[in-house]
Amino acid sequence: MAAKLGAQEVLLTDFGYEYDLDQMGTFERQKEDLSRLLPLAALPNIQFNVNLNDVLSNTRVEHLDWNDHIDDGKRSKLKRNFNLDLIIGSDLVYDETAVEPLIATILHLLKKSTLAAKAVLVIPEKDRKALPLFLDSLCRNDSLEHASNI
C-alpha cells in the first residue's frame, strides 16, 4: 500500500529462505539452514504480490531474520544498512523466544535510520501467547514508546 501511495522506496521483509529475487519474480535458493524451520514460500509470495500490484520500481523484497541482531556485544549480522523513515510490522509476536530478537532488531533499525524514524506495529490480541511478554519488554525499554488498544 505504501508503494501505491507514493513512498519513494518500500522494503518488504520476512523470515524465510534467502533467495535471489530478480525483477521477473523468479527465485533461486542460495542456502538452507536446516537447524531452523523456515517458511519456503514467504519471500516468493511477497514478491508475487509486488509483481501483481505493479510496484516493482519502488519496492524490494528481502530476507530479515530478527536473530541477526541480538544485543550480545557482537557485531550485527545484518547484511546491509537500512535507512528507514517508518517501520510497519503486522502479525507479529507468536513465540516468546522471538520477543527479544524482535525488539533488538527494531531498536537496531531505528538507531541506524533517520532521527524521526518510527515503528508502528499492529498485533492482534487473540492467539498471541507472547504478547504479554512483548508488552512487558516494551515497558522496560526506555527507547521505545508504545500505546495499546488504539
Side-chain angles (χ1 to χ4, degrees), residues 104-123:
T105 299
I106 292 168
L107 287 171
H108 178 78
L109 293 174
L110 290 173
K111 181 179 170 186
K112 298 290 185 182
S113 295
T114 65
L115 289 175
K118 301 255 186 253
V120 176
L121 308 177
V122 179
I123 305 168

Side-chain angles (χ1 to χ4, degrees), residues 41-58:
L43 296 175
N45 283 342
I46 295 170
Q47 185 66 51
F48 175 81
N49 283 302
V50 166
N51 296 348
L52 184 68
N53 287 287
D54 194 29
V55 289
L56 284 168
S57 64
N58 62 340

Side-chain angles (χ1 to χ4, degrees), residues 91-108:
D91 216 17
L92 306 167
V93 190
Y94 289 95
D95 181 36
E96 291 174 340
T97 62
V99 168
E100 292 306 318
L102 171 60
I103 290 175
T105 299
I106 292 168
L107 287 171
H108 178 78

Side-chain angles (χ1 to χ4, degrees), residues 2-34:
K4 284 284 192 183
L5 292 175
Q8 287 183 341
E9 182 180 15
V10 176
L11 175 63
L12 302 171
T13 65
D14 206 333
F15 175 68
Y17 282 108
E18 290 188 73
Y19 290 87
D20 283 330
L21 304 172
D22 66 22
Q23 293 297 324
M24 300 304 292
T26 58
F27 309 96
E28 179 182 332
R29 187 179 306 177
Q30 290 180 324
K31 65 179 181 178
E32 293 183 25
D33 182 350
L34 298 178

